[in-house]
Amino acid sequence: MTIQVRALAGLPLARGGLDRHGELRSRPDVLDGLRVDPNARAVVLRGRRALVTGDALDLLDPSELPEPELMVYLGSTVEDSQGTPPGTDILLWVLAEADADAITEDEDRWFDLRRSGHRLSDRDVGILATSLAIAGWHRAEPFCAHCGSPTTVRNAGWARHCPVDGNELFPRMDPAVIVAVVDPQGRILLGSNAMWEHNRYSLLAGYVDAGESLEQAVAREIFEESGMRLGAPVYLGSQPWPFPRSLMLGFVAPLAEDQDPEALVPDGQEILDLRWFTREELEDPATDVILPGPSSIARAVIDEWLRGSWSR
Ligand SMILES: [Zn+2]
């Protein structure tokens, strides 16, 4: 099966970005140099939240910050934005809870990307998505996968090294497919997850299995969760979802020609309810259906369908 591509522009967490300067990571002195560079700036993380003023990241002079638990060179900015000229080097600065509290205990200054990422500028969304992904990896995988020894940070924060057997570890993301299934009447298939409130619905999604292609994962996940057989999927785009380490790959797919849309079979474990929705139902101001949040790729794909793509 081949995959067609119809890229969606401006996915909420895939905007902007950094020049990551991978070639600088192997220089042993890059972090020591940047932490005293008056032109470098640091994004401050406390757990999974970042220091902001309003909806803009606070990018601070690293020489004025407390010693971090973890420092990573993220790269440099690519355009003139919010007071940082292009080429401004950005450090990730992960603080211990007490040191973060000393900066501010105002909860509104600590920003949650998952809930509010759509409100950030392109510059800031790129910085914060990368920060959460790399910080989450260091938090989750401090030990060597071969021998279990504690590992040390290398490559400006982009690798860990085992001092016992020399094993090198690198950050990874977990690919997951998320699929807008559309029936011949132009309706969209949404499911309600067992872990959500009863009227929250979203696209069906799942992790790519070991040894599986993306197109195989799309067909398998949708059949497992709904009993529906699909025609050829169309790739829409991707965005990081660093909660903690997913890469979401969006697709739209029609039903297979002989598939009866009414033969829905929720898996009963992950998905408790499945429904075909028309645009009129979801746009009805009286609807009590709760859709996924505006930072998610699911919402971006549903909004694209609501605008009339793929069936009108
Ligand atoms: Zn080891």
Side-chain angles (χ1 to χ4, degrees):
M1 190 184 284
T2 56
I3 288 189
Q4 292 182 296
V5 176
R6 230 183 98 181
L8 285 185
L11 290 171
L13 300 193
R15 298 172 287 127
L18 290 162
D19 185 339
R20 294 176 174 235
H21 290 298
E23 76 283 1
L24 297 181
R25 293 176 185 172
S26 56
R27 287 196 197 168
D29 58 350
V30 65
L31 290 178
D32 287 341
L34 286 173
R35 64 179 301 164
V36 296
D37 179 343
N39 295 316
R41 288 293 174 267
V43 54
V44 177
L45 221 58
R46 171 207 203 196
R48 293 168 177 81
R49 295 186 297 159
L51 186 65
V52 295
T53 299
D55 289 334
L57 288 179
D58 280 316
L59 296 179
L60 304 177
D61 182 343
S63 67
E64 295 174 3
L65 289 168
E67 192 64 17
E69 289 186 328
L70 171 73
M71 193 180 358
V72 178
Y73 176 52
L74 298 177
S76 67
T77 54
V78 292
E79 57 189 21
D80 204 346
S81 173
Q82 300 161 273
T84 53
T88 301
D89 288 306
I90 306 292
L91 293 168
L92 167 61
W93 206 270
V94 181
L95 285 182
E97 200 77 13
D99 288 329
D101 285 344
I103 293 180
T104 177
E105 294 192 37
D106 180 355
E107 284 297 309
D108 291 340
R109 297 279 308 279
W110 296 104
F111 188 91
D112 180 348
L113 180 74
R114 182 175 188 145
R115 195 171 56 203
S116 309
H118 61 288
R119 302 206 310 247
L120 290 177
S121 69
D122 291 359
R123 183 201 72 175
D124 286 354
V125 102
I127 292 172
L128 189 49
T130 305
S131 297
L132 289 182
I134 191 76
W137 173 69
H138 283 285
R139 196 185 302 119
E141 299 191 11
F143 301 109
C144 175
H146 289 171
C147 73
S149 300
T151 53
T152 56
V153 178
R154 276 216 180 160
N155 288 31
W158 288 92
R160 297 187 72 94
H161 173 79
C162 175
V164 176
D165 57 21
N167 188 23
E168 295 281 329
L169 298 96
F170 299 96
R172 296 284 182 257
M173 302 173 82
D174 297 326
V177 294
I178 182 160
V179 189
V181 181
V182 179
D183 84 348
Q185 299 177 48
R187 299 179 298 176
I188 196 168
L189 178 60
L190 302 181
S192 189
N193 192 294
M195 296 191 297
W196 301 340
E197 59 263 60
H198 78 282
N199 54 342
R200 178 178 289 279
Y201 284 83
S202 187
L203 301 178
L204 301 185
Y207 286 107
V208 180
D209 246 0
E212 195 174 44
S213 71
L214 295 180
E215 47 273 53
Q216 289 167 340
V218 167
R220 176 187 55 75
E221 276 291 342
I222 299 304
F223 183 73
E224 284 177 2
E225 294 187 352
S226 72
M228 295 289 106
R229 298 283 186 191
L230 300 180
V234 176
Y235 174 71
L236 298 174
S238 65
Q239 75 168 15
W241 194 244
F243 315 109
R245 50 179 252 178
S246 300
L247 175 64
M248 305 303 299
L249 299 135
F251 293 85
V252 58
L255 292 179
E257 280 188 15
D258 58 353
Q259 176 64 57
D260 173 7
E262 304 312 325
L264 293 169
V265 185
D267 69 9
Q269 295 184 346
E270 269 188 79
I271 300 297
L272 293 187
D273 187 37
L274 289 167
R275 278 172 63 184
W276 292 104
F277 288 90
T278 64
R279 292 182 178 81
E280 291 70 25
E281 284 174 292
L282 289 186
E283 286 171 339
D284 182 348
T287 184
D288 68 343
V289 171
I290 301 170
L291 292 176
S295 298
S296 65
I297 188 172
R299 184 55 173 272
V301 171
I302 292 170
D303 284 347
E304 182 69 17
W305 170 81
L306 281 171
R307 282 192 287 271
S309 284
W310 310 316
S311 53
R312 245 177 211 165

